[in-house]
Amino acid sequence: MVTDAAARLILDRCDELAALSSEPDFLKRVHLSPQHAAANELIAGWMSEAGLKTWQDAAGNQCGRMEGREPDLPALLLGSHIDTVPDAGRYDGMLGVLLAISVAARIEPGTLPFALELVAFSDEEGTRFGTALLGSRAVAGTWDDEWWNLTDDDGITLFEAFQDFGLDPARLPGAFRRPEELIGYLEVHIEQGPILEDAGRELGVVTSIAAARRLELRMVGKAGHAGGTPFERRQDALVGASELVVEVERLSRERGVVGTVGKLEVHPGGVNVIPGLVEFSLDLRAEFDDDRDEALRIIDEAGRAIADRRRLEFHRHEFYRADAVVCDLDLRSAFEAGIRATGDDEPMAMWSRAGHDGVAIVAVTPIAMLFLRCKGGVSHHPDESVTARDVAAALTAFEAAVRTLATRAG
Ligand code: HGY
Ligand code: MN
Ligand code: MN
């Protein structure tokens, strides 16, 4: 049985990682940053203490491996991500990596019928370059060389960021894993929503990961004098964009999808100038691809209608798309056995409204996820929090799931 001391160790390590931030007043750790390098080093030390051989792969992911009964067996991969959104909580991603390390520390090396590999993915959020899952898509071998030209807010390309980090872009294919090297991927993550807490459950098993699309939207009007321009002559890009923002929420509620406008920039941005241009983001998710795509079609239609009515132009550019991913039933049943090992005889199942690295990894091996509740369902916020008791339950379930797969594999 897992002690609270084991849970406390994990929470203390989350606190240590939370100190590795590019910002003094809040947590932000992005892909290929000095903070990412420091986090990899800290995690490599903990992986090594747990009995793993460690390396940083050609994409900047921190990896570890424990051999099974014989050398070079295919591996069960455990992991999550260590990058964050701006002003993040300290458990989104990191908790899953640290739980995986604690599971490995509880397994006797050389005893499993498969190898155990751990990975701390370097970029699940996409905070620095916009496109997400750059670490896990390298592992999955689904890399797009177009991404080398992505730039961050300082105009640094992904290619240059690799070099600055000490990685050689030409050697990226070294990170690609082949299906025959892996037997599956397990990830434990905070739910990032209130469903488990509202149901009074510590843990839940994930059925599928949301279908998602992310777009940049633009409303183009005409800047003008805030005093002298009569309303009937205005082409106010901000009023047009605002109508669409409210419509995204209304349509999402009506259609049971999840649309969010998280970024919005007004140009030219003068207090006495009618906005001529608004650039804003759309993050759209649904349980199924068709629901996502139909909702986007309707939002697009609404944007055009608002633009027509207000003599504006409406433009959209998609920069991220991930179709819904179904979790593997065998791996999922191992997590259900894990939940039962904590005394919960009716494991709760739910689809993940949040995206995860498993969306990329499923291209190379089957995946499954276990959720643990987080206080108030809060995430992507410094108030993100979990209890030691729930972390202990998650560690018990995670270890039991690995041992269940080992027993099945004989
Ligand atoms: O946005 C998400 O769903 C994830 O936290 N990256
Ligand atoms: Mn996140
Ligand atoms: Mn996450």
Side-chain angles (χ1 to χ4, degrees):
M1 193 56 183
V2 169
T3 62
D4 271 358
R8 271 262 46 97
L9 173 70
I10 290 169
L11 292 172
D12 292 347
R13 287 177 169 178
C14 286
D15 293 343
E16 268 191 80
L17 283 171
L20 302 176
S21 171
S22 58
E23 304 298 332
D25 306 327
F26 57 84
L27 174 53
K28 181 181 178 183
R29 183 167 60 245
V30 300
H31 191 32
L32 304 175
S33 62
Q35 296 74 32
H36 170 196
N40 274 5
E41 208 177 311
L42 204 48
I43 286 165
W46 294 331
M47 284 182 173
S48 171
E49 277 172 35
L52 297 158
K53 176 183 70 153
T54 65
W55 72 97
Q56 180 179 277
D57 76 4
N61 299 307
Q62 182 58 49
C63 306
R65 179 179 169 98
M66 175 192 288
E67 292 303 333
R69 280 187 206 134
E70 300 141 37
D72 304 329
L73 290 173
L76 177 65
L77 184 62
L78 315 181
S80 193
H81 63 95
I82 56 162
D83 66 308
T84 77
V85 294
D87 202 5
R90 59 189 60 198
Y91 304 109
D92 171 3
M94 284 68 82
L95 184 59
V97 171
L98 294 168
L99 278 162
I101 293 173
S102 293
V103 167
R106 300 164 69 86
I107 303 264
E108 189 59 35
T111 57
L112 297 178
F114 42 72
L116 204 57
E117 283 199 22
L118 269 55
V119 59
F121 288 118
S122 55
D123 178 68
E124 187 274 337
E125 303 287 3
T127 302
R128 183 173 178 186
F129 293 100
T131 291
L133 308 177
L134 291 177
S136 40
R137 289 206 271 200
V139 169
T142 54
W143 186 268
D144 181 340
D145 282 337
E146 277 296 301
W147 297 335
W148 291 122
N149 306 315
L150 291 171
T151 55
D152 67 8
D153 292 345
D154 301 324
I156 296 170
T157 65
L158 179 60
F159 192 92
E160 290 159 345
F162 257 66
Q163 293 175 316
D164 297 347
F165 197 73
L167 296 169
D168 175 359
R171 300 171 61 87
L172 181 85
F176 299 176
R177 304 306 295 272
R178 298 186 312 279
E180 59 273 20
E181 291 180 281
L182 301 170
I183 63 167
Y185 172 67
L186 300 182
E187 178 168 354
V188 180
H189 202 289
I190 51 171
E191 179 202 334
Q192 299 179 297
I195 296 172
L196 288 174
E197 185 176 65
D198 291 352
R201 314 300 277 273
E202 293 169 327
L203 305 173
V205 69
V206 175
T207 55
S208 65
I209 302 174
R213 291 175 78 169
R214 294 183 188 172
L215 298 93
E216 283 154 1
L217 307 180
R218 286 156 55 90
M219 277 292 185
V220 185
K222 190 160 181 253
H225 195 288
T229 313
F231 282 105
E232 57 279 0
R233 295 189 186 199
R234 292 186 178 204
Q235 290 166 266
D236 187 326
L238 179 54
V239 177
S242 306
E243 272 196 56
L244 186 56
V245 171
V246 173
E247 186 59 8
V248 163
E249 185 195 57
R250 191 194 66 75
L251 273 168
S252 297
R253 288 173 180 272
E254 184 183 83
R255 306 189 62 84
V257 300
V258 191
T260 309
V261 174
K263 294 168 86 169
L264 185 140
E265 278 180 36
V266 183
H267 306 277
V271 66
N272 56 352
V273 181
I274 299 166
L277 165 66
V278 171
E279 296 173 310
F280 51 125
S281 63
L282 175 64
D283 176 309
L284 184 62
R285 305 154 191 240
E287 185 172 6
F288 303 108
D289 301 348
D290 295 351
D291 296 344
R292 170 201 64 190
D293 297 342
E294 177 59 7
L296 182 57
R297 191 189 63 74
I298 297 171
I299 288 168
D300 196 35
E301 219 168 62
R304 294 179 196 289
I306 291 165
D308 290 348
R309 189 161 20 90
R310 290 181 171 275
R311 294 182 299 120
L312 306 171
E313 286 170 24
F314 175 59
H315 303 282
R316 54 175 256 193
H317 164 65
E318 181 171 75
F319 61 90
Y320 175 75
R321 178 184 186 135
D323 290 346
V325 165
V326 178
C327 293
D328 175 81
L329 289 177
D330 290 340
L331 296 179
R332 187 177 137 184
S333 72
F335 268 141
E336 283 161 353
I339 293 175
R340 288 194 189 89
T342 68
D344 177 350
D345 292 335
E346 290 174 29
M348 184 170 177
M350 58 196 291
W351 67 278
S352 172
R353 278 77 175 160
H356 299 284
D357 285 299
V359 162
I361 294 299
V362 75
V364 69
T365 196
I367 70 154
M369 288 193 75
L370 175 74
F371 274 171
L372 70 148
R373 72 185 154 193
C374 52
K375 189 157 176 273
V378 169
S379 182
H380 285 190
H381 187 281
D383 289 350
E384 201 174 83
S385 79
V386 293
T387 65
R389 182 163 170 270
D390 287 357
V391 171
L395 181 51
T396 301
F398 203 177
E399 179 186 356
V402 172
R403 294 193 185 280
T404 299
L405 291 171
T407 307
R408 284 186 199 160

